[in-house]
Structure formats: C-alpha cells, structure tokens
Amino acid sequence: WIRGDVLYRLRPAPANTLEAYDLTTLQPKAGWTAPVVPTLADLEVAGGRVFLAARVVNGQTVAPPAALNAASGAVDPSWLPPALTRRVPDPSGVPYQPTLTALATDGQRLYFSGDFELVGGAGRDGIAALAVASAALDAWDTAPFLVSPLEATTTALLATRPTGVNRVVRRYLAAIDRATGVAT
C-alpha cells in the first residue's frame, strides 16, 4: 500500500510483519517498529494513525478497525472503536469475531466494510464510518445494500458490488455522497 510518502508492505508468513518504507529515501521508515499482523485485509492512513482491517496485532486481539501510531507502528491505545456485532448470536454459541474486508478514508471519516450488522448497537449492515479523530460512529449510513468501500474521492465514496443504495439500483460500482450516504 502506498499512502503519502510511505510504502507499507506486509511480509508474508511466517513473519507477517507490516513494514514501512520512506519513499523519498527508499529506506525503512525511521522510528517504525514493524508490527506482526497475521491477517491483514486492508490499510488506510489518516490523522496520525495507520488503520488496519485486522483483529490481531502483535499477538493481542484488538477491536477492528485497529489503529497504529503512524510514527512508531505501535498499537494506538487511545483508539477505541465501538463494538461490531451481529443482530442475532450464532445458534451454536460460538462468539462472533468480526471480519473487515476493506477500508477507505477522506481524512475525516474512516469507512469500512465487513460481515458485521451493528456498530455500537446501531444498524449498519456491513458498511459504516467512524470519525478519524475520535472513533465515534458517524451518522453517515448508506443502508441498505452497500457491500464494500473502494476509495474515497473529494465528493464521494466509490463502492464495489452494490445491488442498490438507498433503493437506487447500482450494478457493479456506485458513488455515495460522503456527507449524506445517498447515491450520486
């Protein structure tokens, strides 16, 4: 992943380390200690944090989306996102473990998608936005039918594979207004 002037590279198993390289010097980023992230699906950078679509960082379980300090690579203990849950527990009693598939950011919000249905008790059906600064759930809600964010632009969030957005049918790609969540 290239974000700004940094290249982030996930070294494969058995290391599973997230390396950071300064693109101006082509050297490892000074001060960055590569965290171990066994199952990283996506990465975004905003507000001094590196956000990860991962549940485990350095052997500890973290609430997804996880956040690292962008300068050091350490888990950011001040990032406390609301719990991602399902409406109905698994009948087998197996505890739910959320899986995120994609992240995007516009610098103000962190958009993310996955297999969750609720964020902090609020219905979001697989896609939501958190404030980058506070991890608070944003009122932005595309419900129902949006599947996964792709990229944030200056005016919209592009999403893949939506079957419909706010009851407006979009077949493979949709542009969603960043402020309102309505298809543009």
Side-chain angles (χ1 to χ4, degrees), residues 85-173:
T85 58
R86 295 254 171 112
R87 285 185 174 85
V88 178
D90 189 312
S92 70
V94 175
Y96 169 66
Q97 297 292 321
T99 300
L100 299 186
T101 54
L103 303 174
T105 187
D106 59 10
Q108 302 286 317
R109 296 180 181 103
L110 175 67
Y111 304 96
F112 57 100
S113 64
D115 64 351
F116 58 90
E117 295 171 341
L118 304 170
V119 178
R124 288 299 187 264
D125 295 320
I127 185 167
L130 299 177
V132 166
S134 66
L137 179 63
D138 194 277
W140 184 88
D141 180 12
T142 64
F145 310 126
L146 193 58
V147 178
S148 60
L150 181 65
E151 288 295 332
T153 70
T154 56
T155 58
L157 178 70
L158 301 179
T160 60
R161 298 185 319 266
T163 56
V165 178
N166 293 330
R167 309 206 193 316
V168 177
V169 174
R170 297 289 191 264
R171 292 187 60 111
Y172 301 107
L173 184 67

Side-chain angles (χ1 to χ4, degrees), residues 8 62 83 153 159:
Y8 295 93
V62 293
T153 70

Side-chain angles (χ1 to χ4, degrees), residues 8 18 20 29-35 48-50 58 68-77:
Y8 295 93
L18 181 62
K29 184 177 173 183
W32 179 267
T33 301
R49 293 181 173 117
V50 177
N58 291 333
L68 305 176
N69 179 296
S72 68
V75 173
D76 184 343

